[in-house]
Amino acid sequence: QYLLQGTLYPDVIESISYKGPSATIKTHHNVGGLPASMNLKLIEPLRELFKDEVRELGMALGIDEASVWRHPFPGPGLAIRIIGEVTAERVKILQEADAIMIEELWRSGHYRAIGQAFVVLLPVKSVGVMGDGRTYENVAAVRCVETTDYMTADFYHLPYDVMGTMSSRIINEVRGINRLCYDISSKPPATIEWE
């Protein structure tokens, strides 16, 4: 009967010209992507709020802190963070790498200072060495940004030792990745998500 979406104001601003002339920066799945005619009533209670306002509201409503501070997750799922062909194997590789990255951010005390963090699996393979053998595996990138409004963002200055631990763990524990890069792009000109 109802379709409840967590659309936020930055999604709207980037996706459509809203309340004045602006360019479509990026098309969000939850803005303008629904059928013109559907048998559901659309409910978007957060549509005109920024993420920091949503977090403030969540805390005021007594929602548990871990849920309020959880980083945004793309509605289309992890597949949007796999550049190129999406297969069950590549999804598994990304899930494992992303879990390690998030675990290391919590362990090192940086998670809450970061607005959004994730791993992107790239359509690139690279030569590496594991033990006495040569490998030819996937390259992944870690993206950590600090932001309050999600309209602008700067890359998070993660300490080298945390990056080193993260890289070592992902490369040694995730079969299928042998190189990890850190994205130091700001928004703008880049967007937070890669796709």
Side-chain angles (χ1 to χ4, degrees), residues 30-115:
N30 54 340
V31 180
L34 297 174
S37 175
M38 59 181 188
N39 296 326
L40 300 171
K41 179 172 172 44
L42 180 61
I43 301 172
E44 298 175 297
L46 309 173
R47 187 180 175 97
E48 294 190 9
L49 298 178
F50 288 96
K51 184 69 176 177
D52 60 325
E53 296 169 318
V54 172
R55 285 190 168 134
E56 188 177 321
L57 177 63
M59 294 304 286
L61 291 172
I63 296 172
D64 72 281
E65 194 172 334
S67 293
V68 170
W69 287 96
R70 186 178 187 276
H71 292 176
F73 186 82
L78 280 180
I80 200 145
R81 294 177 179 163
I82 298 173
I83 312 301
E85 184 182 13
V86 178
T87 64
E89 178 188 5
R90 288 173 61 79
V91 169
K92 182 178 182 292
I93 289 168
L94 181 60
Q95 286 173 323
E96 291 174 6
D98 200 71
I100 290 169
M101 185 262 317
I102 294 295
E103 184 180 308
E104 288 302 322
L105 292 178
W106 276 112
R107 190 190 61 70
S108 64
H110 290 275
Y111 185 89
R112 282 221 16 207
I114 295 170

